[in-house]
Amino acid sequence: MAGMRLYDNGWAPSPRRVRLYLAEKGHGLSEAIERVPVDLQHGGNLAAAYLAVNPRGLVPALVLADGRVIDDSIAICRYVEALHPDPPLFGSDPFAIAMVETWLRRIEAEGYAAAVYALRNGHPAFAGRALPGVLAGEGAAPPQLPALVERAGVLWAGFVASLDAHLAEREWIADRHYSMADIAALVAVDFAHRARLAVPESCGHLRRWHAAATARPSSGA
Amino acid sequence: MAGMRLYDNGWAPSPRRVRLYLAEKGHGLSEAIERVPVDLQHGGNLAAAYLAVNPRGLVPALVLADGRVIDDSIAICRYVEALHPDPPLFGSDPFAIAMVETWLRRIEAEGYAAAVYALRNGHPAFAGRALPGVLAGEGAAPPQLPALVERAGVLWAGFVASLDAHLAEREWIADRHYSMADIAALVAVDFAHRARLAVPESCGHLRRWHAAATARPSSGA
């Protein structure tokens, strides 16, 4: 992984997926890839220097030694997975591969989407940034939609209930061991917490899982 | 693939991804998997018989010979891909693997999401079904949000512009040959058309790609 640069941000959820993945994967990857911080809070992602790396103005972005760029968090992880298949974090057999993908898509469309809806449409700091990256700056900024905060609550309630039920019979979400689905869910749950979407006391299985995921050394990466 | 059943619907976009994938994959898979139609227009997806298969009330769902269920379109395709790696439709090398994933996620979050936003929040037939499957039926049905139709237009315009620019230098979206990213984009573009989100005349590269994708025998599967 020599010569690779990862454009990163300690606050944002998407680069956190990549950091946790690299920490779980091992092989010294976390140390082998250079990190370049991007200051989202002060618009560093929309500055010309960063738009030259990623015209979408989003983090993370991985720049390969030959200059090619991968600008999606899960795609970065799948790239590293193709180079370093072991330990398998995207599923250790065909059914587990399907379960990882099922949950990655569900976490993204329901859990993570709920958190993004709530935060970008409900938090004053996101006024004018209801859509991320350059989408927020093209023409008139899209307005915050308070009704989406309410819808976020519906999505979130359905998401945590279904994940809690799923975890009643399983230690981890999609495979016999910790996988990318667990990483994405941990990032979504922690991000949702900042958007005031909590895991209710009634979701005991999900809370047990969250404690176990948080206890792994990777969670602080 | 003997003994597998695919719960399908000819109108809905998600099962179409699976049918196109199976047709492109070959190996006689399209014929080897039994198809079971689900009548979404008349609530067949929320009937007890189908909820016993997929409690989420969504199509597609693939039931394996041992009774296990995969209820996400891309996850079904990744399962088949793990069993039948050739020809590779999720990327033929590590960078192509990353590009397929990048575009699958972008198509889902921007192109397909725009179409879903517009249709479920703007079309009278979706009153009371602004969220899909069982989410629409739990408690009070979430209201249609006209502001999301407007936001869908912003998302869609950004999506088609970026995909058009991307295709200026490429025959297909993510790999040297046709891939799952092309399948997902074709399904999204055709579905968006029904939500009155069109590919503008100015997007010549995207229109050329769309004609080529539509001309493939798989597109009618």
Side-chain angles (χ1 to χ4, degrees):
Chain A
M1 314 299 280
M4 289 191 196
R5 294 193 310 281
L6 178 66
Y7 288 84
D8 193 10
N9 177 279
W11 185 90
S14 295
R16 188 179 176 217
R17 287 186 207 110
V18 178
R19 292 195 306 274
L20 268 63
Y21 171 85
L22 294 174
E24 289 284 343
K25 178 57 80 167
H27 300 287
L29 292 172
S30 291
E31 298 73 27
I33 298 176
E34 181 192 354
R35 308 275 180 90
V36 184
V38 178
D39 184 355
L40 298 182
Q41 282 70 27
H42 298 94
N45 57 315
L46 300 177
Y50 187 65
L51 292 177
V53 173
N54 181 4
R56 295 168 60 79
L58 300 172
V59 287
L62 180 70
V63 181
L64 309 186
D66 64 9
R68 290 181 297 177
V69 178
I70 306 171
D71 68 3
D72 175 272
S73 62
I74 307 289
I76 290 169
C77 299
R78 285 199 187 272
Y79 175 77
V80 175
E81 187 85 359
L83 298 177
H84 298 277
D86 291 312
L89 293 177
F90 281 91
S92 53
D93 61 60
F95 190 74
I97 287 170
M99 289 301 101
V100 170
E101 179 74 337
T102 295
W103 280 98
L104 282 178
R105 284 166 53 83
R106 190 168 299 172
I107 292 159
E108 183 83 16
E110 298 176 11
Y112 182 65
V116 172
Y117 277 8
L119 201 65
R120 288 194 177 268
N121 292 283
H123 197 292
F126 283 93
R129 293 191 291 149
L131 290 174
V134 294
L135 282 172
E138 286 176 348
Q144 292 183 306
L145 302 178
L148 276 186
V149 180
E150 190 180 339
R151 183 171 290 185
V154 175
L155 273 177
W156 181 253
F159 172 69
V160 294
S162 73
L163 184 51
D164 183 67
H166 179 74
L167 285 166
E169 298 168 9
R170 292 169 185 82
E171 181 178 9
W172 303 114
I173 292 175
D175 205 345
R176 292 181 301 278
H177 51 74
Y178 201 71
S179 78
M180 194 71 215
D182 297 292
I183 291 171
L186 180 63
V187 170
V189 167
D190 290 347
F191 185 57
H193 185 74
R194 288 194 256 154
R196 302 188 184 175
L197 295 169
V199 176
E201 298 263 349
S202 58
C203 291
H205 307 296
L206 180 51
R207 292 170 80 100
R208 178 263 304 157
W209 165 89
H210 184 262
T214 302
R216 297 174 75 88
S218 65
S219 78
Chain B
M1 313 299 281
M4 288 191 196
R5 293 193 311 281
L6 178 66
Y7 288 83
D8 192 10
N9 177 279
W11 185 90
S14 293
R16 187 178 177 218
R17 286 185 208 111
V18 178
R19 292 195 306 275
L20 268 63
Y21 171 85
L22 294 174
E24 288 285 342
K25 178 58 81 169
H27 300 288
L29 291 172
S30 291
E31 298 74 27
I33 298 176
E34 181 192 354
R35 309 274 179 89
V36 184
V38 178
D39 184 354
L40 299 182
Q41 281 70 28
H42 298 94
N45 58 314
L46 300 177
Y50 187 65
L51 291 177
V53 173
N54 181 4
R56 295 168 60 80
L58 300 171
V59 287
L62 180 70
V63 181
L64 309 186
D66 64 8
R68 290 182 296 179
V69 177
I70 306 171
D71 68 3
D72 175 273
S73 61
I74 307 291
I76 290 170
C77 299
R78 285 200 188 272
Y79 175 76
V80 175
E81 188 84 357
L83 298 177
H84 298 278
D86 291 310
L89 294 176
F90 281 91
S92 51
D93 62 61
F95 190 74
I97 287 169
M99 288 302 101
V100 170
E101 179 75 337
T102 296
W103 280 99
L104 282 177
R105 285 166 52 83
R106 190 168 299 171
I107 291 159
E108 184 83 15
E110 299 177 10
Y112 182 65
V116 172
Y117 277 7
L119 201 66
R120 288 194 177 267
N121 293 283
H123 197 292
F126 284 92
R129 294 191 289 150
L131 290 174
V134 296
L135 282 172
E138 284 174 351
Q144 291 183 306
L145 302 178
L148 276 186
V149 180
E150 190 179 339
R151 184 171 290 187
V154 175
L155 274 177
W156 182 254
F159 173 69
V160 293
S162 72
L163 184 51
D164 183 67
H166 179 74
L167 285 167
E169 297 167 9
R170 293 168 184 84
E171 181 177 9
W172 303 115
I173 292 174
D175 205 346
R176 292 182 301 278
H177 52 73
Y178 201 71
S179 78
M180 195 70 214
D182 297 292
I183 291 172
L186 180 63
V187 170
V189 167
D190 290 347
F191 185 56
H193 186 74
R194 288 194 255 153
R196 301 188 185 177
L197 296 168
V199 177
E201 298 263 350
S202 58
C203 291
H205 307 296
L206 181 51
R207 292 170 80 101
R208 179 264 304 158
W209 166 90
H210 184 262
T214 302
R216 297 174 75 88
S218 65
S219 78

